[in-house]
Amino acid sequence: MKIYYHDNDDSADKQLPHETPEEVSAAELQALGVLAFHFDDVASVDALARERHYVSRDEVNISPEAFARGGADAAAYAAKLDTFYAEHLHEDEEIRYIVDGAGYFDVRDRTQARWIRARLERGDLLILPAGIYHRFTLTTDNYVKAMRLFKEEPKWVAYNRPEADANAYRREYLSEIEA
Ligand code: KMT
Ligand code: NI
């Protein structure tokens, strides 16, 4: 997994790397409550899921071809990517495991003004804490197969910024990273 500051250039295609030389360590991510892992086997993902009380999962296949197979058109694919890229938070942890392909997860840094980008490839797993602002997109290869893991009561509604600024989970998250 490669982690770096995003160049903040919103005029260029979101699926480009937007890479800067400013790399971010796993420890810096951890200070934001974000945990990064690499598991080559699903048994390790299973163990982590048990440890953190996850009980269900699904697998999404995101690519223009998969959308076409499902009867959706290119506009629907583009709209889906736009939804993933809208800055949002959830009221529960988000665990994503890349089964195949690649994708970018962007999370806000401490200042909440800059984005940190993590490039995830096959075997990479990311845990985002409840309340963190983030967004997701694909690389220009336009293909990812990802496992999404859920706790018993999935709370995977997305709350967009800035409406979510007053959200209780958002406030709790901020107090935790400032502690
Ligand atoms: C999210 O919350 O933005 C996602 O789950 C992205 C799609 S899963 C790789
Ligand atoms: Ni999300």
Side-chain angles (χ1 to χ4, degrees), residues 61 63-73 76:
N61 187 340
S63 69
E65 294 76 20
F67 267 59
R69 281 196 298 277
D73 61 9

Side-chain angles (χ1 to χ4, degrees), residues 19-89:
E19 191 168 343
T20 65
E22 221 177 325
E23 286 196 37
V24 175
S25 67
E28 286 174 82
L29 266 196
Q30 205 169 333
L32 296 171
V34 178
L35 302 176
F37 297 88
H38 182 90
F39 298 130
D40 283 320
D41 58 306
V42 175
S44 304
V45 178
D46 294 344
L48 180 96
R50 263 197 310 276
E51 220 172 83
R52 300 181 86 89
H53 310 290
Y54 279 70
V55 295
S56 64
R57 62 183 68 176
D58 69 9
E59 202 171 276
V60 283
N61 187 340
I62 309 165
S63 69
E65 294 76 20
F67 267 59
R69 281 196 298 277
D73 61 9
Y77 177 72
K80 192 65 171 179
L81 261 51
D82 283 345
T83 306
F84 286 149
Y85 210 60
E87 180 171 3
H88 66 274
L89 61 78

